[in-house]
Amino acid sequence: AETESGDLSAAASHVWDEHLRDNLWTRVFPGVPEALALLQQAGLRLGVISNAEGTIRALLERIGVLDAFELVLDSAVVGVAKPDRRIFELALQSLEVSADRAVMVGDSVAADVQGAWGAGVAAALIDPFDVHPHCAAPRFADLLSFARALISAK
């Protein structure tokens, strides 16, 4: 059992090191490029706030979506993480957008929704598996359905 524990620890350490070297979250969900294009065509300004390990900008570039965003805030780079309202305020200040004119779209109730609300920003939750039915924020199956709803409400 001790050897298995050591092997698991070594494997976890290797995976973490690889993640820090080259972000392992590289899957682009269906509809994301189309959603980003729709939002840009509607004249909306887009930014990313990520609780990443200093790797989010490189990841966005590698998967081909970095150009869609005016701002990329990585918690490891700026020194504050969601749900701390300061990271949302930093994004608003950087984009010169007031909180009442912004919306945070994310997949975490605690970090994204509650964090945004703490900064006075509206929030929407991407909840593809309907695991947060009691979340008070508007919920969407994917980014494309959010984008279509936002644009049609504009």
Side-chain angles (χ1 to χ4, degrees):
E2 218 174 286
T3 303
E4 283 181 21
S5 177
D7 290 346
L8 287 175
S9 199
S13 180
H14 175 72
V15 169
W16 182 249
D17 290 345
E18 286 299 306
H19 175 71
L20 291 178
R21 186 181 63 74
D22 189 23
N23 194 308
L24 297 178
W25 298 102
T26 58
R27 183 172 167 208
V28 179
F29 289 102
V32 168
E34 184 181 353
L36 294 174
L38 284 173
L39 294 167
Q40 283 182 302
Q41 290 165 5
L44 299 173
R45 300 174 69 201
L46 307 178
V48 172
I49 301 173
S50 179
N51 283 354
E53 298 80 22
T55 59
I56 196 64
R57 178 175 290 282
L59 168 65
L60 294 171
E61 184 171 27
R62 189 172 68 247
I63 63 176
V65 297
L66 180 62
D67 290 344
F69 302 103
E70 287 183 53
L71 174 72
V72 176
L73 291 182
D74 186 318
S75 62
V77 174
V78 299
V80 63
K82 300 179 292 183
D84 190 317
R85 63 184 245 156
R86 293 176 296 168
I87 197 164
F88 296 95
E89 292 167 348
L90 181 59
L92 294 169
Q93 182 181 35
S94 296
L95 290 171
E96 299 178 337
V97 172
S98 63
D100 64 338
R101 303 273 303 150
V103 61
M104 171 67 185
V105 183
D107 62 358
S108 167
V109 174
D112 299 322
V113 174
Q114 293 173 349
W117 288 347
V121 174
L125 184 69
I126 303 300
D127 188 11
F129 303 108
D130 199 29
V131 296
H132 300 289
H134 302 296
C135 179
R139 293 180 307 122
F140 298 89
D142 54 41
L143 188 62
L144 185 55
S145 59
F146 164 79
R148 287 177 174 153
L150 183 65
I151 290 167
S152 70
K154 197 174 167 195

